[in-house]
Amino acid sequence: MVGLFTVAPLFAWGATLDSKWIKEDLSKPDLSAKYWSGIQEETVTLMAQPMVAPRPKETNTSSISVQSLHDGKWISFRLKWKDPEKNEAGRLGEFSDAVAMQFPIKSNENPPPIFMGAKDNPVHLFHWRAQYQRDQEKGKPEMRDLYPNMSVDMYPMDFKDTGHLKAMTDERKEVFSPGKIEGNPQSYRKFAVDEIFAEGFSTSSVSASHEAVGYGKWENGRWTVVISRPLNEGEGGSILQAGKNSFMGFAVWQGGKGEVGSRKSITMVWVPLSIAPAKGM
Amino acid sequence: MAKVKNWHLKREMEYPYSEHRPKRQWAIVFDLNKCIACQTCTLACKTTWTSGKGQEYMLWNNVETKPYGSYPLAWDVRILEKLGHQEWHKNGEYNGKTIFEAAEPTEKVAHFAPQDEDWMYPNVGEDDCLGDVPHGDHINIPHDKWFFYLPRTCAHCTYPACLASCPRKAIYKRDEDGIVLIDQSRCKGYGECVRACPYKKSMYNPYTRVSEKCVGCYPAVEQGLQPMCVQNCIGKIRIMGFINPPWKAREDNPVDYLVHKKGLALPYYPQLGLEPNIYYIPPIHANRDYLHQMFGPNVDEAIENYKKIRQDPVAQGLFTLMGSSDRILYSFKVENEKATGFDEKGGEIVQVPVTEHMYVRAEFDEKIGAVRSNTP
């Protein structure tokens, strides 16, 4: 591990990200808005997550290009990376393409370790998944959507009211879906972006709040995703300010290469983020 | 990696977390000589736990025909080939590598990832025996053709690979009974446990998009009851209880008696290194090399001991107690040709005769003047 830290500064990890102010409403993610043209694209280097197993054998996504703008209330990022196939997950062993941005919470000047923060020094993550976006657009898939040729005799909780047999209430039907009953966001996602807090590896937990919005499109072997978040995420969250600096980290998952969880490409050092002052505010 | 003691291997081994044995350890003993693959256990489990969407092919308990049956497909040979050479020293120590020790540097454990198709044939190989049966063949004793049934649940291992591999720490082992559970609110469905469990008892639910596994019927266990697969076993081949490690074994504990005292029941594929807590009394007529591979070096002794049960009233008594109560037997006693099972506080749960009395009636019934017949 020591080797990694000493080697790290030798790479060109990416220049400072400049987030210019613009008089637009950035609370809606817009992939192809005119305001993106002319905004400098910074290339940020990624490498296979090297710290904990299970991890990828090789780096599948070696860089991500980043543009940023803010409107005084919302800050928006347009992210692009190469991925030869589009993956939205579904069946066993199928994983979703995804991207995440990471911000420090306690101090924008002295961020915690880049690897998902540390105990009592958490990070705020914004995790966009192609799978969640599909859910948002088309609804969560039923078993028949995933397995069109499947055949099932019956689901015992699904029988209809036939005289002496009373139909099950929706709540009772969920009895065999423990993930849903327990309110696991993974089991009934309706938002493209998860907001997550973490204090180091293995500690991430999904926040109930989901102010951030995102939208992505895969075209010609490349994802373009816009994620917009409020500058001020409120008490306990990441708070960015116009005219001030902070830091960011990135992670990319290629579902088609079996990347999920700790199998991902990540930034190995914090990328400086410079937020321009807001005019007329 | 920490060094932990694995008594199945008679040595220390590497594991990602330090050794912590629960206060009590859930365990089931199966007598494979009695299993008829009726699948009543499978259905008892399925109707209790996995009748929902995304669980269509999910069988926390299954019974497969060995050697060809396997669910998911070929799970056993596909993990064994990852271990390399598996050799046991004469003193019973395992000299090969466990799945933790054989792991590539980028992985927590040596594993194979079962695909969707692998879970689609739960009854593959059913009743297929090893070897051809040419026209005109007949039975020879000992059998040269063989198969046996292997009922399987999660083994609630002392060193679970599912728990070791979960990057979210969403899997935990309960201190009160050693049952291993996936936190259904925390799991994000990465499928690492599905890859890592060598017995393939973590399963992915594509509807809830998280992984699920046998819960050891913990709500029943908390009330002093045995799991549904055990309660419903019509062949009475199973007994669930709490096992102690050999250095804490209690002779009056049914599971300790079968595993430690009599050496009748053995863990399966102990060389994988998980210290699994389901134990099998090996089938006496199956191929011995195959049994060595599956149950380790003590299999000959276990079979010899099993053949001697007729001369051992205590062991016989315990076998009659198996399946005689839905409740967990914490201890047992055999006296005056009666076997008695007790609860945690020493209260009597059940008493059975070691040998059922046989009554022989005269062939002719003088009273009604008729010959007796067994025809109902």
Side-chain angles (χ1 to χ4, degrees):
Chain A
M1 285 303 116
V2 173
L4 283 169
F5 291 118
T6 51
V7 168
L10 301 176
F11 288 104
W13 289 101
T16 298
L17 302 172
D18 282 319
S19 188
K20 290 199 172 115
W21 177 83
I22 189 170
K23 198 178 175 185
E24 294 278 352
D25 176 10
L26 295 177
S27 67
K28 304 273 179 297
D30 192 339
L31 285 178
S32 48
K34 279 193 185 140
Y35 49 71
W36 290 117
S37 59
I39 301 298
Q40 175 70 30
E41 281 192 24
E42 296 293 350
T43 302
V44 175
T45 305
L46 305 177
M47 65 177 276
Q49 185 275 113
M51 299 292 284
V52 291
R55 54 192 168 88
K57 280 193 176 64
E58 57 185 17
T59 301
N60 289 314
T61 312
S62 55
S63 69
I64 182 169
S65 100
V66 185
Q67 292 169 290
S68 181
L69 283 168
H70 77 94
D71 64 8
K73 281 190 169 174
W74 288 75
I75 185 164
S76 194
F77 298 87
R78 186 162 78 161
L79 314 167
K80 294 177 190 168
W81 71 94
K82 284 185 194 153
D83 183 341
E85 60 174 310
K86 182 182 179 182
N87 298 91
E88 295 176 325
R91 298 183 179 202
L92 165 74
E94 292 179 355
F95 302 107
S96 175
D97 296 331
V99 66
M101 309 189 303
Q102 172 180 287
F103 298 87
I105 292 178
K106 276 195 162 174
S107 162
N108 285 327
E109 289 81 38
N110 296 304
I114 181 80
F115 305 110
M116 294 175 77
K119 181 117 180 73
D120 299 325
N121 202 349
V123 291
H124 197 149
L125 296 143
F126 299 84
H127 180 80
W128 174 93
R129 262 205 217 189
Q131 180 185 30
Y132 294 163
Q133 179 170 309
R134 183 202 53 198
D135 288 359
Q136 195 177 18
E137 288 179 336
K138 299 178 187 167
K140 188 174 167 294
E142 285 290 322
M143 287 306 289
R144 186 141 330 261
D145 301 324
L146 300 174
Y147 298 88
N149 299 320
M150 72 185 279
S151 135
V152 178
D153 296 342
M154 65 163 225
Y155 295 107
M157 307 309 249
D158 262 4
F159 55 74
K160 299 284 184 296
D161 189 345
T162 54
H164 62 288
L165 285 178
K166 289 267 177 285
M168 285 286 165
T169 61
D170 282 349
E171 197 185 18
R172 285 283 295 154
K173 278 185 188 176
E174 305 272 278
V175 130
F176 286 109
S177 298
K180 282 182 88 177
I181 270 196
E182 288 296 318
N184 190 330
Q186 172 76 6
S187 297
Y188 63 117
R189 204 64 222 163
K190 293 189 187 68
F191 314 101
V193 179
D194 262 348
E195 293 199 27
I196 296 172
F197 296 104
E199 295 188 334
F201 285 127
S202 310
T203 64
S204 71
S205 61
V206 180
S207 156
S209 83
H210 43 79
E211 295 211 60
V213 287
Y215 190 77
K217 194 175 180 187
W218 183 88
E219 219 168 30
N220 302 325
R222 192 175 70 165
W223 273 106
T224 306
V225 176
V226 169
I227 300 176
S228 290
R229 52 156 284 189
L231 281 166
N232 187 339
E233 280 273 343
E235 182 75 26
S238 147
I239 297 173
L240 303 175
Q241 277 180 288
K244 295 269 177 79
N245 296 337
S246 185
F247 290 95
M248 285 186 77
F250 297 91
V252 171
W253 291 261
Q254 288 194 29
K257 299 252 168 64
E259 289 191 327
V260 69
S262 55
R263 301 175 195 265
K264 59 188 168 187
S265 301
I266 60 167
T267 39
M268 292 292 291
V269 292
W270 286 99
V271 183
L273 170 68
S274 170
I275 307 166
K279 292 173 193 163
M281 302 250 339
Chain B
M1 286 277 197
K3 284 273 182 199
V4 296
K5 186 178 175 65
N6 183 325
W7 65 264
H8 288 173
L9 308 182
K10 283 199 173 177
R11 69 167 169 89
E12 288 195 320
M13 63 161 204
E14 288 180 6
Y15 186 68
Y17 299 105
S18 55
E19 181 169 349
H20 179 80
R21 288 177 187 272
K23 284 190 191 109
R24 280 200 301 223
Q25 177 59 59
W26 179 108
I28 299 182
V29 176
F30 305 73
D31 184 351
L32 295 185
N33 295 289
K34 295 179 188 160
C35 180
I36 56 168
C38 65
Q39 307 279 7
T40 310
C41 48
T42 308
L43 282 182
C45 176
K46 187 122 191 83
T47 50
T48 309
W49 295 111
T50 60
S51 289
K53 288 177 184 169
Q55 299 173 319
E56 293 82 358
Y57 277 65
M58 193 185 281
L59 301 162
W60 292 352
N61 179 105
N62 76 303
V63 185
E64 51 200 51
T65 304
K66 286 295 167 200
Y68 291 125
S70 51
Y71 165 83
L73 213 58
W75 66 269
D76 41 6
V77 289
R78 287 159 83 184
I79 188 61
L80 289 175
E81 73 181 3
K82 300 270 178 192
L83 283 192
H85 189 58
Q86 300 141 50
E87 194 177 273
W88 295 85
H89 192 266
K90 270 182 200 148
N91 66 8
E93 188 182 311
Y94 177 58
N95 287 343
K97 281 182 176 168
T98 67
I99 60 167
F100 305 106
E101 293 158 349
E104 293 179 51
T106 53
E107 301 289 338
K108 287 272 197 216
V109 301
H111 68 267
F112 78 93
Q115 302 301 299
D116 230 359
E117 301 75 35
D118 295 325
W119 297 95
M120 290 181 179
Y121 312 94
N123 237 2
V124 71
E126 189 189 30
D127 289 358
D128 280 350
C129 66
L130 189 84
D132 295 333
V133 184
H135 184 70
D137 202 4
H138 59 280
I139 287 177
N140 295 296
I141 304 289
H143 298 192
D144 54 353
K145 315 287 186 295
W146 61 275
F147 69 78
F148 64 93
Y149 299 121
L150 186 74
R152 307 199 299 129
T153 67
C154 168
H156 298 281
C157 305
T158 306
Y159 303 114
C162 58
L163 186 154
S165 68
C166 179
R168 286 184 62 72
K169 295 191 178 150
I171 304 184
Y172 59 104
K173 184 169 175 70
R174 306 202 321 169
D175 205 32
E176 61 265 45
D177 49 24
I179 288 174
V180 177
L181 296 175
I182 301 175
D183 182 340
Q184 291 294 299
S185 64
R186 185 158 174 76
C187 172
K188 273 192 115 177
Y190 297 162
E192 295 295 348
C193 56
V194 180
R195 294 171 196 243
C197 173
Y199 302 104
K200 294 296 171 251
K201 282 296 177 185
S202 270
M203 296 160 197
Y204 181 68
N205 180 330
Y207 182 68
T208 63
R209 310 200 284 211
V210 296
S211 297
E212 298 173 6
K213 65 178 281 304
C214 160
V215 295
C217 283
Y218 70 86
V221 172
E222 284 171 4
Q223 295 174 55
L225 293 165
Q226 303 191 60
M228 299 312 284
C229 59
V230 181
Q231 285 191 27
N232 287 281
C233 177
I234 59 162
K236 301 186 175 187
I237 77 146
R238 302 181 177 210
I239 185 166
M240 178 259 157
F242 297 104
I243 188 167
N244 292 300
W247 56 93
K248 283 188 185 167
R250 259 183 29 227
E251 218 174 287
D252 65 345
N253 170 337
V255 177
D256 281 355
Y257 181 86
L258 292 168
V259 174
H260 298 308
K261 164 79 176 161
K262 295 297 283 185
L264 284 166
L266 303 169
Y268 78 142
Y269 297 123
Q271 62 268 46
L272 299 169
L274 284 69
E275 212 182 278
N277 289 301
I278 54 179
Y279 290 84
Y280 295 101
I281 297 172
I284 57 176
H285 290 307
N287 176 279
R288 208 52 77 85
D289 288 340
Y290 187 82
L291 295 181
H292 278 147
Q293 177 181 257
M294 181 177 272
F295 299 112
N298 298 327
V299 83
D300 296 317
E301 196 187 327
I303 288 172
E304 286 318 302
N305 293 343
Y306 189 75
K307 287 178 178 169
K308 288 183 206 148
I309 283 178
R310 289 186 62 172
Q311 294 129 42
D312 183 343
V314 179
Q316 249 186 317
L318 179 53
F319 274 85
T320 56
L321 279 173
M322 285 173 80
S324 63
S325 171
D326 290 345
R327 295 173 64 188
I328 298 171
L329 307 185
Y330 288 84
S331 59
F332 79 107
K333 178 176 81 174
V334 179
E335 256 176 20
N336 305 324
E337 297 194 358
K338 285 194 174 102
T340 316
F342 303 95
D343 64 19
E344 204 172 2
K345 290 175 181 153
E348 183 177 318
I349 291 176
V350 61
Q351 188 172 68
V352 290
V354 174
T355 315
E356 284 290 341
H357 287 292
M358 191 162 69
Y359 299 94
V360 181
R361 299 183 297 174
E363 197 179 344
F364 190 78
D365 188 337
E366 299 285 353
K367 200 170 160 190
I368 58 170
V371 173
R372 284 186 170 125
S373 153
N374 282 332
T375 311

